[in-house]
Amino acid sequence: MAYHKQMIPHEASPLHVSQNPKDAGFYNNPYAFYARLHALDAPVYWKEYGLWCVCGFDSVNNALRDDRFARLPPAGMPMPEHPPHLSDFAAVERHSLLALEPPKHTRIRKTVNQAFVNRHVTQMATDIEVLANRLIDGFESTNEIDLLKAYATPIPVTVIARLLGVPECECDSLLAWSHAMVRVYTMTQTKQEELDANQASKEFQQLLFDLIRQRRKSPTDDLLSHMVTLKTDPLSDDEIVSTAVLLLNAGHEATVHQIGNAIHTLLALNWPRTWVDDEKHGNAIVAESMRFDAPLHLFTRYAQQDVELHPNIVIQKGEEIALLLGAANRDPRRFNQADTFKPDRTDAASVAFGAGLHFCIGATLARLEMRIALNTLFKRMPDIKLAEQPQYQNSFHFHGLQSLNVKW
Ligand code: HEM
């Protein structure tokens, strides 16, 4: 087939779309924009990002599984580099699973996967339930609370810190470091945010190097100990630090927002609370809330060769494209009544956890945390209501609320 060269479509073309990601109307409700894209039934060129974007469910799902696309540019092509003021951030990123492709990705991912299986994620259910109940004990006697701060935020960070073996007294620092670091992934950060992210990476690394030293001397039963005591194919300290930072950051940021988004959806729709009362329905609510209002909306990939995305749209080798996960989950060609929250749908699916090589390692843990967090909250406090209409934070990629004030 004769390929056309990739071209930026003329501004007058319907495939050339403009949307400021920092526009409050947009980041509060990106779904109206997505509906516009779905009506075109084609990839679009998003002017503000300067990227071709894939939005349909099948196209996003296929691209995530397609080895002609990867998280890194093809061999021999320049790698994206961080400026010198992000050197500590870059050091932490260097061995992150999300910045690797096979064979190195396969080696580290295998180790983390083994460690996750060894820790028997599902056996953590009791621990999570105790934690959720303890948090509710702390605010139940008041009559209004920001659930994002008092409930959704502490659960994931405590769970992942315990799993890794980072002392729980460090949780506040972990949250602050993680918030500072994720700003750099939004592609719209300021220089000050980059400096803060670098400082956070430096302090985070220091803590982990200290813990790794301790675990080498006296290993325990945690994931850090598992990583430092590997006999075959051991990981270097730098690889362990990158992996631990990724698990801590990825492990809590998206989960906090998904717990918040799911509670918001259920309260806004006045959903019957009995639905979350048993495991089967709880799982269906969690799955549908991930489809309906997912926390991560955009990931990028580099073409490893020229790829024809659509007739007359060819992505050239080395070019970056965006995959709009949040749009794919609302594709009317894939989902019946895509904009309706229907936990009993027979066409259930979502790409909220990605797909293919980089599919979320923590998906089982995240689903478990969400089900227990929702179930415990609605069982203990069936009368909670939204105290005000919550606002989403100004970071389109991380689609989560600024706060979630509820009353009872
Ligand atoms: C609701 C919560 C979560 C959501 C929506 C989510 C979503 C995702 C997505 C979409 C990816 C794939 C990124 C890509 O393909 O470029 C991913 C990867 C990853 N996630 Fe999650 N995640 C969540 C929770 C967690 C948790 C709890 C952990 C760890 C305990 C975790 C650890 C990871 C890791 C390590 C990767 C990288 C995997 C790889 O590159 O091989 N995530 N996640």
Side-chain angles (χ1 to χ4, degrees):
M1 173 180 299
Y3 279 170
H4 294 252
K5 284 270 180 238
Q6 186 270 337
M7 288 189 305
I8 297 174
H10 189 271
E11 291 214 357
S13 159
L15 299 188
H16 188 126
V17 298
S18 172
Q19 173 59 63
N20 177 359
K22 295 198 165 208
D23 178 81
F26 169 69
Y27 63 71
N28 268 293
N29 177 11
Y31 302 108
F33 174 67
Y34 294 158
R36 235 177 83 202
L37 306 188
H38 287 310
L40 294 166
D41 194 16
V44 294
Y45 179 82
W46 190 337
K47 181 179 155 191
E48 282 75 4
Y49 285 114
L51 294 175
W52 279 95
C53 300
V54 178
C55 346
F57 184 89
D58 289 342
S59 329
V60 169
N61 193 25
N62 292 339
L64 285 164
R65 297 163 192 272
D66 186 340
D67 59 12
R68 295 173 304 165
F69 290 112
R71 287 192 59 108
L72 296 178
M77 286 197 152
M79 290 287 157
E81 274 191 25
H82 292 297
H85 65 270
L86 274 174
S87 59
D88 289 293
F89 179 84
V92 168
E93 272 251 291
R94 190 161 303 130
H95 307 286
S96 155
L97 281 174
L98 284 172
L100 297 175
E101 289 296 333
K104 201 170 165 197
H105 175 269
T106 319
R107 180 177 146 252
I108 298 188
R109 175 139 182 152
K110 205 173 83 198
T111 308
V112 181
N113 255 338
Q114 268 171 9
F116 257 79
V117 172
N118 290 352
R119 311 252 77 75
H120 302 301
V121 165
T122 46
Q123 288 177 9
M124 296 180 71
T126 314
D127 257 17
I128 303 171
E129 206 173 326
V130 169
L131 174 61
N133 275 304
R134 201 183 73 206
L135 293 168
I136 296 173
D137 291 343
F139 58 72
E140 199 183 20
S141 60
T142 59
N143 56 9
E144 190 165 336
I145 195 85
D146 173 3
L147 276 182
L148 202 72
K149 196 164 166 213
Y151 192 64
T153 298
I155 294 176
V157 72
T158 311
V159 170
I160 192 73
R162 280 181 191 166
L163 199 76
L164 264 166
V166 175
E168 276 178 49
C169 58
E170 298 288 353
C171 280
D172 286 345
S173 304
L174 297 178
L175 286 174
W177 292 332
S178 169
H179 288 153
M181 290 177 76
V182 296
R183 298 299 305 173
V184 178
Y185 302 113
T186 61
M187 293 154 80
T188 53
Q189 70 273 18
T190 63
K191 172 98 185 263
Q192 187 55 51
E193 285 170 339
E194 291 190 344
L195 291 169
D196 294 345
N198 201 56
Q199 182 59 27
S201 313
K202 197 173 177 166
E203 294 171 16
F204 208 156
Q205 274 184 81
Q206 200 47 59
L207 170 76
L208 287 166
F209 279 129
D210 290 346
L211 289 172
I212 289 171
R213 246 192 319 274
Q214 287 171 22
R215 293 302 192 282
R216 283 206 194 287
K217 266 197 231 143
S218 40
T220 60
D221 184 32
D222 53 42
L223 219 148
L224 270 182
S225 300
H226 172 86
M227 289 196 280
V228 301
T229 52
L230 283 172
K231 294 282 179 286
T232 42
D233 216 354
L235 300 183
S236 70
D237 283 7
D238 287 341
E239 287 172 338
I240 296 174
V241 167
S242 290
T243 307
V245 170
L246 173 67
L247 286 171
L248 282 159
N249 287 354
H252 91 265
E253 200 78 27
T255 318
V256 168
H257 288 306
Q258 190 53 35
I259 293 173
N261 293 1
I263 297 173
H264 174 215
T265 300
L266 293 168
L267 293 181
L269 296 175
N270 204 12
W271 198 257
R273 307 301 155 75
T274 45
W275 264 83
V276 285
D277 241 339
D278 72 69
E279 195 174 321
K280 184 168 156 249
H281 289 135
N283 286 338
I285 293 245
V286 167
E288 177 66 348
S289 76
M290 304 271 326
R291 184 197 72 80
F292 187 73
D293 201 23
L296 303 174
H297 279 216
L298 186 155
F299 282 95
T300 56
R301 291 291 190 270
Y302 290 90
Q304 305 299 297
Q305 60 187 72
D306 287 1
V307 181
E308 187 175 40
L309 262 190
H310 198 73
N312 292 341
I313 303 175
V314 175
I315 302 300
Q316 286 182 299
K317 180 175 176 180
E319 246 183 88
E320 207 176 3
I321 60 163
L323 310 180
L324 301 187
L325 270 51
N329 288 337
R330 294 282 196 109
D331 182 352
R333 283 177 192 79
R334 172 64 178 75
F335 300 103
N336 181 26
Q337 295 182 281
D339 289 327
T340 306
F341 181 76
K342 279 173 46 149
D344 59 347
R345 59 173 59 251
T346 49
D347 55 1
S350 97
V351 283
F353 285 116
L357 214 63
H358 292 279
F359 179 78
C360 179
I361 273 189
T364 307
L365 176 61
R367 288 190 194 106
L368 182 75
E369 287 181 54
M370 286 168 53
R371 183 172 58 72
I372 295 174
L374 293 176
N375 194 7
T376 311
L377 179 74
F378 286 114
K379 231 158 67 185
R380 294 262 315 254
M381 309 187 73
D383 299 325
I384 52 169
K385 297 180 187 53
L386 289 175
E388 62 189 17
Q389 177 60 35
Q391 299 297 304
Y392 284 81
Q393 60 182 21
N394 180 4
S395 62
F396 152 63
H397 294 208
F398 297 96
H399 181 67
L401 299 168
Q402 289 173 21
S403 56
L404 179 56
N405 291 319
V406 297
K407 57 185 181 186
W408 55 93

